[in-house]
Amino acid sequence: MSLGFDFGTANCCVAHLVEGKVSPIPLVDDNIYLPSTLCAPNAESVSEYLFRCLDITPSNDTNQAVLRRAIKINREEGLDIHADDVKFGHQALKLYLEDPKDVYFVKSPKSFLGAMGLRDMQLSYFEDLVCAMMSNIKRSAEANTNQSFEQTVIGRPVNFLGRGGEASNIQAVDILTRAAKRAGFKDIEFQYEPVAAGLDFEATLTTDQNVLVVDIGGGTTDCSMIQMGPSWQGKMERKESLLAHTGQMVGGNDLDIFIAFRCLMTEFGLGSKLKSGLDLPLIQFWNAIAINDVQAQRDFYAHDNLSMLRQFHKEALEPQKLQRLVALHQETLGHSVIHQAELAKIAMSEQTDYVTNIDLVSEAFEVATDRASIDAAIENPMNKIRALVQEAVTQSGIKPDVIYMTGGSSRSTALTSAVASVLPNTEIISGNYFGSVTAGLTHWANLIYR
């Protein structure tokens, strides 16, 4: 049996065909969407969890070295790893928010897969993270359907990481492939996420059209100009129908980060000064909440940086705010702040004002935000998305008959307006914000594996 697998930056979803119709598979209770999060006692728990609890062996010598190191550290810390020690989805976020300092929490590992300059051990560890998440999803899907899934089509962005170019794409796909094989899939193919979303939309067309698919996900935005309609339905070879592709690592997570930076970090000292009159370094506030940047997070949470933050606290004109930044470091609360920014973003789709609640364990406080401030905060990523839309049109050399917007972040009215500003007289149709990619991947899996 084949599975359409949307291994998303924000959420994961899988589906199969039942009597010719796409049927999403519940992964936790009745929920078909599983947040792309993982929580464990420590970072090393994941590798040992795969080996000891799931009987998943390392894929190469580097993975073997990662496992040996993990077992050594866990034994030194007195940790015995059990199956229920590693949590996924909402359970992972709940555990992290309850005790952020004493657990290891990862959100959106897909964002890291194309990062350049990582050591082999780091790449192997990311493979373990992805394998743990994929294995959990595969096993849940099989338990809920009483079927075995050995074939899958996995969605991928056009570009995983803009700075790395094709090298980033190759690295990310290699990690996903190895992880999927270790999770138990025997046949693995990939399809561009905007193309998959477009395939779902194509089933509704009665005439051929040039469609600009704009897929704004949690970690990436992809734009594809595709010829669609009855002439193309059911064809396995679609290269001639794909007129242009653009994509970049900018998505819903970036919106959350910019909202946190511009609207929330002022309460942690952003914009305030030292007694000497000098400004506090912006990088400290950015690195604190840049959860999709491995190096930024490593720099902020480094032990040496804590000493620097304490020194800033002593020299600050507003020491109470800098104390919050120190607390954020000590309690590892960057993800918690981003979670509040995400809630503000969601709320602004329906209201004009919102109050975020920041809990630093030692202090809880509120920050008022409004739609104008949110829109101003996300202007940078919105400009990048506008540029991707324009580039797709320029590459194809044609104007689309219709724009098909999908992806969880495309619910934002600000982002819809940003796309419309590039093509003001073109109709915009909103698809299933979360499910269109999964549906397209499922149809494609049925087409190539039948």
Side-chain angles (χ1 to χ4, degrees):
M1 292 292 293
S2 63
L3 201 64
F5 199 144
D6 182 8
F7 186 74
T9 306
N11 294 282
C12 296
C13 182
V14 294
H16 64 146
L17 283 187
V18 177
E19 297 181 354
K21 295 183 178 180
V22 174
S23 177
I25 302 172
L27 298 175
V28 178
D29 298 326
D30 294 329
N31 297 316
I32 62 174
Y33 301 111
L34 183 73
S36 302
T37 53
L38 177 150
C39 193
N42 61 9
E44 290 72 28
S45 301
V46 179
S47 300
E48 187 172 356
Y49 161 81
L50 288 175
F51 178 71
R52 201 170 300 282
C53 303
L54 302 185
D55 198 28
I56 294 177
T57 57
S59 61
N60 53 43
D61 291 342
T62 306
N63 276 106
Q64 185 69 52
V66 170
L67 175 60
R68 287 197 300 269
R69 178 179 179 274
I71 293 174
K72 180 177 182 293
I73 292 175
N74 289 335
R75 294 298 83 76
E76 290 174 350
E77 295 183 1
L79 280 176
D80 291 322
I81 307 303
H82 303 285
D84 61 354
D85 287 336
V86 179
K87 306 291 187 184
F88 303 91
H90 290 295
Q91 290 183 344
L93 179 60
K94 180 181 179 182
L95 183 59
Y96 162 74
L97 293 175
E98 288 176 351
D99 193 8
K101 187 177 181 181
D102 294 325
V103 296
Y104 173 73
F105 180 76
V106 178
K107 179 181 180 180
S108 309
K110 184 179 177 181
S111 300
F112 308 145
L113 302 186
M116 293 284 92
L118 300 177
R119 300 189 303 273
D120 288 345
M121 293 279 281
Q122 291 172 305
L123 294 175
S124 291
Y125 179 68
F126 286 151
E127 180 188 318
D128 283 351
L129 276 176
V130 174
C131 180
M133 297 176 72
M134 284 186 167
S135 180
N136 172 66
I137 291 168
K138 182 176 183 291
R139 290 166 187 247
S140 296
E142 290 175 339
N144 281 329
T145 60
N146 292 317
Q147 296 183 36
S148 177
F149 296 104
E150 296 185 342
Q151 300 171 318
T152 187
V153 173
I154 301 172
R156 55 153 291 184
V158 176
N159 290 308
F160 283 86
L161 189 65
R163 293 187 299 274
E166 189 56 25
S168 288
N169 294 333
I170 293 171
Q171 173 180 287
V173 169
D174 284 347
I175 292 173
L176 289 168
T177 301
R178 293 194 301 272
K181 286 182 178 178
R182 293 173 67 196
F185 291 109
K186 293 183 179 179
D187 299 313
I188 302 159
E189 297 291 340
F190 290 87
Q191 179 58 275
Y192 289 129
E193 290 161 351
V195 174
L199 292 173
D200 184 47
F201 174 60
E202 184 176 57
T204 68
L205 297 178
T206 57
T207 60
D208 289 350
Q209 294 187 354
N210 296 317
V211 180
L212 178 62
V213 180
V214 181
D215 179 13
I216 307 177
T220 57
T221 292
D222 289 309
C223 301
S224 294
M225 188 75 76
I226 310 175
Q227 291 179 333
M228 295 182 184
S231 299
W232 295 97
Q233 290 174 12
K235 289 187 177 181
M236 290 185 62
E237 183 52 61
R238 296 293 301 253
K239 287 184 179 180
E240 292 184 2
S241 73
L242 309 181
L243 306 179
H245 279 306
T246 63
Q248 190 175 347
M249 189 177 171
V250 55
N253 286 349
D254 296 271
L255 303 185
D256 300 338
I257 290 169
F258 273 88
I259 290 170
F261 183 69
R262 299 293 184 189
C263 301
L264 304 183
M265 293 309 289
T266 52
E267 298 303 316
F268 292 82
L270 176 64
S272 62
K273 295 181 179 291
L274 299 173
K275 294 175 183 177
S276 63
L278 296 174
D279 294 329
L280 285 155
L282 293 177
I283 194 67
Q284 291 287 357
F285 304 96
W286 179 260
N287 286 351
I289 43 86
I291 62 168
N292 58 359
D293 188 325
V294 178
Q295 190 58 51
Q297 291 283 275
R298 185 182 295 123
D299 290 346
F300 180 76
Y301 286 110
H303 181 72
D304 290 347
N305 195 47
L306 179 58
S307 300
M308 187 177 296
L309 293 177
R310 284 173 169 161
Q311 187 62 36
F312 286 145
H313 172 245
K314 290 180 182 179
E315 300 174 3
L317 284 176
E318 297 180 282
Q320 72 280 6
K321 290 186 177 181
L322 266 295
Q323 181 56 44
R324 292 170 178 169
L325 192 62
V326 172
L328 189 152
H329 181 291
Q330 290 179 305
E331 302 294 337
T332 321
L333 290 170
H335 282 282
S336 181
V337 174
I338 291 297
H339 180 60
Q340 290 301 319
E342 181 183 16
L343 294 178
K345 177 188 70 179
I346 294 171
M348 290 304 171
S349 295
E350 299 180 351
Q351 57 197 69
T352 57
D353 299 285
Y354 184 76
V355 176
T356 61
N357 297 285
I358 309 295
D359 188 352
L360 299 178
V361 181
S362 59
E363 177 193 9
F365 59 95
E366 297 180 342
V367 184
T369 55
D370 57 59
R371 181 172 293 172
S373 299
I374 296 291
D375 288 349
I378 61 176
E379 186 62 22
N380 179 289
M382 283 201 301
N383 283 336
K384 292 181 180 179
I385 291 171
R386 290 188 189 100
L388 289 172
V389 172
Q390 183 59 60
E391 184 183 350
V393 174
T394 301
Q395 278 186 21
S396 65
I398 62 173
K399 180 182 176 182
D401 297 311
V402 64
I403 300 170
Y404 180 67
M405 288 191 66
T406 186
S409 297
S410 64
R411 292 176 299 172
S412 167
T413 54
L415 287 175
T416 302
S417 298
V419 173
S421 69
V422 181
L423 295 161
N425 299 316
T426 304
E427 180 185 11
I428 295 179
I429 296 176
S430 297
N432 182 335
Y433 291 120
F434 289 106
S436 59
V437 171
T438 309
L441 294 172
T442 305
H443 282 303
W444 193 255
N446 181 66
L447 186 65
I448 65 174
Y449 291 128
R450 65 185 179 187

